[in-house]
């Protein structure tokens, strides 16, 4: 398997398209009630440490290094709102906070509440999402038209041009949030916890990227935020062995213990702290045994060790004596997922649990590599394997790693589409029953450029297909969830069409054409649910962007 931390170039938008995206961002924020307050000076950038191959920072320093410290006040003091509606009752939405949670009627089914998803058999089937601390909802508490994401990460010339070679660091960003007063970083983290809880998640796996600095501070804030929002929402510690700069097992044991003593830290029913290091095979079994022993003797912490491998085939047998279970980072294309069945069977044959990776897509501009996700095919395939193969836990890879384009979290270009889709499969995974479709809902996904398009701008490093991925394709997918059979009317560019879709789930693929894509449900001559992907596909682009964009009819 390939490491999740390698990156090269990208393909993206023409400058006019970037301007259009900026206008759409402005419209989103205006609708959310965010005041435009141009941020006149870039946040300070800390000195770059030596880049680590396979980490996001092979292209530059920690993006959180220049953000204000927790507690800094923003330009527009507001209540730190942001919560879910509908199934996540008992909280009050925060005005102007996009991405705050679940709107009533957003899903094609009625999602069970947290209590139902955490009791009985559902309590044994846990679903986490991989939280990547460099990309919180806001890095500087500025208005979204001029915040750090807009100025420096989405802009190819950002951060003094150091990302220009691959067209800019990111292609997407979190949904904008309103600047806040007081401890705005913790308020935003609380909002992310609410959003995840409203989608049915049990917690986050926390990527422990560093032993000090902004990412470590944000990790601590996340532990506090999770417990404050919901004591039942748990944080599984995941030391990142591609970036933690220590060979001393005592140093790592101390770092794990410092976070592991927080009430939000995920523990088994017998009290053992779950530790799931990323790329655990970077250290020997003997080294990890020392870490586990030091946690017990120095800190009084018993450990349930669940290593996340890049290659479980080569490592699970060696690690079995010290492990409670296993996981793997996994493939990001819809082909080649058959190994998941073997991984689960092997783990269970050793008497271990298995945490299955579930993914949506992967496109890494600064590493020059991408996987062909096949619209939503990868999301549906990885979830289906987790369900059918009998995985014990699931890890969504990732919640918010925008430098990999792998985010499930609500984002500017995808809204809630991928997270909403995930909730459907999550319900089956946890309860054992497919939820009943009670309202027609359409999901449309497509790229905004053709896979073979060459960027015309200054970008010199472009993404190429990862070995083992499905072949590139240029398709629009209309994924329908229907309570009864209906006609689905589609428009792709200038091409109008229609197809008959059965009750339940149906995927229809259409050729990608220049222009926008839309779909509508027609039953008994009446138009029902309808949706339009607001981003047009273009045959000429200045920046490479091979992420699939998505939209759902379930949300405005």
């Amino acid at each position: 398997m390939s490491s999740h931390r390698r990156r090269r170039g990208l393909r993206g938008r023409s400058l006019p398209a970037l301007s259009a995206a900026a206008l759409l961002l402005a419209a989103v924020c205006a609708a959310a009630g965010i005041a435009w307050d141009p941020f006149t000076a870039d946040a300070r950038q800390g000195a770059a440490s030596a880049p680590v191959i396979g980490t996001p920072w092979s292209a530059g320093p920690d993006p959180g290094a220049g953000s204000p410290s927790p507690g800094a006040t923003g330009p527009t003091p507001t209540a730190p709102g942001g919560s879910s509606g509908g199934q996540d009752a008992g909280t009050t939405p925060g005005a102007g906070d996009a991405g705050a949670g679940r709107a009533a009627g957003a899903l094609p089914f009625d999602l069970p509440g947290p209590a139902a998803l955490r009791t009985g058999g559902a309590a044994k089937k846990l679903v986490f999402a991989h939280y990547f601390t460099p990309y919180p909802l806001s890095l500087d508490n500025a208005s979204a038209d001029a915040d750090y994401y807009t100025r420096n990460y989405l802009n190819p010339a950002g951060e003094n041009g150091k990302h220009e070679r691959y067209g800019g660091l990111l292609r997407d960003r979190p949904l904008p949030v309103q600047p806040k007063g007081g401890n705005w970083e913790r308020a935003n983290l609380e909002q992310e916890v609410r959003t995840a809880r409203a989608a049915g998640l049990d917690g986050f796996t926390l990527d422990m990227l560093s032993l000090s600095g902004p990412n470590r501070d944000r990790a601590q804030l996340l532990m506090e935020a999770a417990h404050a929002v919901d004591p039942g929402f748990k944080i599984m510690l995941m030391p990142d062995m591609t970036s933690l700069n220590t060979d001393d097992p005592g140093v790592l044991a101390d770092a794990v213990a410092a976070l592991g003593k927080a009430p939000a830290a995920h523990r088994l029913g017998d009290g053992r702290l779950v530790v799931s290091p990323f790329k655990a095979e970077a250290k020997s079994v003997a080294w990890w045994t020392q870490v586990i022993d030091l946690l017990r003797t120095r800190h009084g912490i018993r450990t349930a060790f669940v290593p996340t491998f890049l290659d479980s085939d080569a490592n699970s047998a060696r690690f079995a004596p010290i492990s409670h279970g296993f996981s793997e980072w996994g493939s990001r294309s819809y082909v080649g997922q058959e190994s998941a069945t073997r991984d689960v069977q092997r783990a269970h044959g050793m008497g271990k649990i298995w945490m299955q990776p579930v993914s949506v897509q992967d496109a890494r501009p600064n590493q020059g590599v991408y996987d062909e996700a096949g619209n939503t095919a990868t999301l549906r395939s990885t979830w289906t394997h987790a369900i059918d193969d009998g995985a014990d836990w699931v890890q969504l890879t990732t919640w918010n790693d925008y430098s990999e384009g792998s985010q499930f979290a609500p984002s500017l270009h995808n809204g809630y589409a991928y997270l909403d889709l995930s909730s459907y499969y999550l319900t089956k995974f946890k309860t054992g029953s497919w939820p009943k479709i009670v309202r027609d809902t359409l999901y449309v996904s497509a790229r905004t450029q053709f896979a073979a398009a060459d960027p015309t701008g200054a970008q010199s490093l472009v993404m190429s297909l990862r070995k083992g991925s499905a072949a590139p394709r240029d398709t629009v997918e209309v994924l329908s969830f229907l309570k009864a059979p209906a006609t689905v009317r589609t428009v792709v560019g200038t091409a109008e069409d229609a197809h008959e879709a059965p009750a339940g789930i149906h995927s229809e693929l259409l050729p990608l054409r220049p222009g926008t894509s839309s779909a509508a449900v027609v039953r008994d001559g009446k138009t029902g649910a309808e949706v339009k992907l607001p981003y047009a596909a273009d045959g000429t682009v200045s920046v490479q962007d091979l992420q699939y964009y998505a939209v759902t009819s379930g949300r405005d």
Side-chain angles (χ1 to χ4, degrees):
M1 294 296 179
S2 299
S3 167
H4 79 307
R5 298 295 186 220
R6 297 177 188 157
R7 299 179 174 28
R8 281 191 320 181
L10 36 115
R11 174 170 314 171
R13 334 278 285 149
S14 63
L15 290 179
L18 284 170
S19 298
L23 289 174
L24 182 58
L25 174 59
V28 169
C29 295
I34 297 177
W36 296 112
D37 182 14
F39 194 73
T40 57
D42 282 357
R44 290 179 297 107
Q45 280 297 104
S49 57
V52 180
I53 299 301
T55 76
W57 317 131
S58 56
D62 182 335
S67 58
S69 61
T73 57
T76 308
T78 63
S83 67
S84 59
Q87 290 83 4
D88 186 18
T91 53
T92 303
D97 276 343
R102 179 85 61 203
L107 302 177
F109 68 104
D110 292 327
L111 179 69
L117 293 175
R118 294 177 182 173
T119 56
K124 300 178 182 179
K125 295 282 192 173
L126 301 180
V127 179
F128 298 87
H130 185 87
Y131 193 92
F132 198 54
T133 53
Y135 302 124
L137 294 181
S138 175
L139 288 162
D140 53 11
N141 204 33
S143 57
D145 65 331
D147 68 358
Y148 207 87
Y149 282 112
T150 297
R151 295 192 320 276
N152 290 303
Y153 287 168
L154 296 174
N155 180 2
E159 293 197 319
N160 298 316
K162 73 180 179 184
H163 306 300
E164 186 175 37
R165 186 170 67 100
Y166 37 87
L169 182 61
L170 308 183
R171 295 297 180 270
D172 199 3
R173 62 164 293 158
L175 276 177
V177 292
Q178 185 172 340
K180 298 176 175 68
N183 194 337
W184 57 270
E185 284 203 277
R186 173 165 160 170
N188 284 342
L189 289 168
E190 289 179 359
Q191 178 173 320
E192 292 197 80
V193 171
R194 292 188 183 98
T195 300
R197 179 183 65 170
L201 272 62
D202 295 289
F204 288 138
T205 51
L206 173 59
D207 194 321
M208 295 174 58
L209 277 169
S210 55
L211 300 172
S212 61
N215 283 315
R216 172 58 179 82
D217 295 341
R218 202 167 287 135
Q220 182 63 47
L221 276 180
L222 180 61
M223 305 297 288
E224 297 171 7
H227 187 67
V229 169
D230 179 1
F233 190 90
K234 297 303 181 183
I235 308 298
M236 187 191 307
L237 301 182
M238 183 167 282
D240 193 324
M241 304 314 294
T242 68
S243 65
L244 287 176
N245 187 25
T246 182
D247 291 321
D248 186 339
V251 170
L252 185 63
D254 292 347
V256 168
L259 291 173
K261 291 177 180 178
H266 177 47
R267 294 176 178 267
L268 301 182
D270 62 8
R272 284 181 291 164
L273 177 71
V274 180
V275 179
S276 181
F278 171 76
K279 197 180 179 182
E281 65 263 47
K283 300 294 184 182
S284 68
V285 172
W287 193 89
W288 284 113
T289 300
Q290 292 182 66
V291 174
I292 293 169
D293 287 345
L294 286 167
L295 280 167
R296 177 178 53 82
T297 59
R298 184 182 293 179
H299 300 284
I301 295 175
R302 295 182 300 121
T303 305
F305 193 64
V306 184
T308 295
F309 300 120
L310 296 188
D311 187 348
S312 62
D313 284 347
N315 294 288
S316 56
R318 289 193 301 113
F319 277 76
I322 64 170
S323 298
H324 175 72
F326 307 119
S327 185
E328 188 174 69
W329 194 249
S331 169
R332 302 293 179 80
S333 187
Y334 58 96
V335 299
Q337 294 294 336
E338 295 78 12
S339 62
T341 305
R342 182 181 67 247
D343 291 335
V344 176
Q345 291 174 346
R346 181 193 301 113
H348 288 173
M350 296 179 181
K352 313 297 182 181
I353 67 160
W354 176 259
M355 181 166 67
Q356 174 70 18
V358 168
S359 56
V360 57
Q361 61 182 331
D362 194 313
R364 309 180 186 193
N366 68 349
Q367 291 184 28
V369 66
Y370 79 101
D371 291 281
E372 178 52 63
N375 301 85
T376 69
T378 295
L379 185 154
R380 292 181 285 118
S381 175
T382 52
W383 258 122
T384 298
H385 271 286
I387 293 166
D388 292 348
D389 296 341
D392 303 282
W393 300 348
V394 157
Q395 179 181 204
L396 303 184
T397 53
T398 64
W399 176 255
N400 64 334
D401 191 346
Y402 293 91
S403 52
E404 291 183 357
S406 58
Q407 64 277 359
F408 278 84
S411 71
L412 180 64
H413 293 157
N414 302 314
Y416 278 78
Y418 297 135
L419 190 60
D420 285 354
L421 277 173
S422 192
S423 292
Y424 181 78
Y425 294 92
L426 175 150
T427 302
K428 165 64 173 176
F429 176 75
K430 290 182 70 67
T431 69
S433 300
W434 289 108
K436 181 181 179 181
I437 296 174
V438 296
R439 55 188 70 87
D440 296 331
T441 309
L442 298 173
Y443 299 86
V444 174
S445 60
R447 288 196 179 106
T448 59
Q449 56 191 246
F450 295 88
D454 289 323
T456 61
Q459 179 182 349
S460 60
L461 178 63
V462 296
M463 289 183 286
S464 58
L465 195 66
R466 194 195 305 269
K467 183 180 179 180
S469 173
R473 74 188 201 190
D474 295 318
T475 52
V476 176
E477 182 190 67
V478 179
L479 187 65
S480 56
F481 285 66
L482 301 181
K483 58 186 180 182
T487 299
V488 178
R489 187 177 62 240
T490 60
V491 179
V492 179
T494 59
E496 299 183 12
D497 204 348
H499 62 270
E500 300 302 314
I505 306 176
H506 176 76
S507 172
E508 188 79 11
L509 295 179
L510 306 168
L512 180 66
R513 302 174 188 273
T516 59
S517 300
S518 62
V521 175
V522 179
R523 188 182 293 113
D524 300 326
K526 297 180 180 179
T527 301
E530 52 187 338
V531 67
K532 180 178 180 180
L533 188 64
Y535 299 93
D538 195 344
T540 302
V541 297
S542 66
V543 177
Q544 186 192 37
D545 184 359
L546 294 184
Q547 292 184 75
Y548 282 96
Y549 290 40
V551 66
T552 169
S553 66
R555 297 177 184 268
D556 294 334

